[in-house]
Amino acid sequence: MVDTDRVTGAVKELAGKARGAVGDLVGSDRDSVEGRARQVQGTAERVYGEGKDAVRQTANRAADVGEDLRDSAESYYGRAEESVRNAADEAYHYAEDAYDNSGRYLSQGRRVVAQQVEESPLTSLLIAGAVGLGIGLLINSRR
């Protein structure tokens, strides 16, 4: 949208130029000077209107950039939120699986240890003694 000062300034500038030319043509100094003054006034008004147009366009561009930035930020926020939710869901399912399977693993471990003790009771006793001695030495060395 073109500013009205820009249009009226251009019209005054053209009218002043015409009046100055007519004054020069007929030899009227008064018309020539008034025409040049009106031309300068019209030029100033046109330039003022162009400046207002430039400010308006810059403000519109800044608003557009601001909207684009807001849209991008909302998009990144949405994707980040979704990623966090997905990671939390995965962690929950992993913990749930570990909890559900822990009883089974404990039971299997007990069976394996019991089987080893049955098959080799002396070796199991020596291993248990060595582990006990190692723990005792560790505890005693920290004092």
Side-chain angles (χ1 to χ4, degrees):
M1 180 170 124
V2 176
D3 189 76
T4 56
D5 289 325
R6 191 173 182 176
V7 174
T8 57
V11 169
K12 286 180 184 178
E13 185 179 6
L14 185 60
K17 190 181 277 188
R19 186 169 179 182
V22 169
D24 290 343
L25 188 64
V26 294
S28 171
D29 289 338
R30 181 173 177 230
D31 286 336
S32 182
V33 169
E34 284 181 12
R36 302 282 185 268
R38 190 171 193 87
Q39 180 181 355
V40 169
Q41 180 186 12
T43 301
E45 193 171 340
R46 179 183 51 81
V47 169
Y48 174 70
E50 288 172 359
K52 285 172 45 179
D53 280 344
V55 168
R56 187 178 303 112
Q57 288 173 355
T58 302
N60 289 340
R61 285 185 192 138
D64 291 345
V65 167
E67 288 177 15
D68 290 346
L69 287 173
R70 185 195 70 227
D71 292 345
S72 293
E74 287 175 354
S75 173
Y76 287 128
Y77 176 80
R79 291 194 326 232
E81 183 179 31
E82 183 178 341
S83 294
V84 168
R85 285 177 198 241
N86 289 340
D89 287 344
E90 285 183 38
Y92 174 80
H93 292 305
Y94 179 77
E96 189 176 44
D97 287 344
Y99 179 77
D100 290 344
N101 292 325
S102 64
R104 186 168 44 93
Y105 294 144
L106 180 61
S107 178
Q108 285 176 351
R110 282 184 190 160
R111 276 195 304 268
V112 168
V113 169
Q115 182 181 3
Q116 287 295 325
V117 169
E118 270 183 36
E119 290 176 5
S120 309
L122 184 58
T123 305
S124 299
L125 184 61
L126 288 173
I127 290 173
V131 169
L133 179 64
I135 291 173
L137 290 174
L138 282 173
I139 291 173
N140 195 28
S141 69
R142 290 190 179 176
R143 290 184 182 180

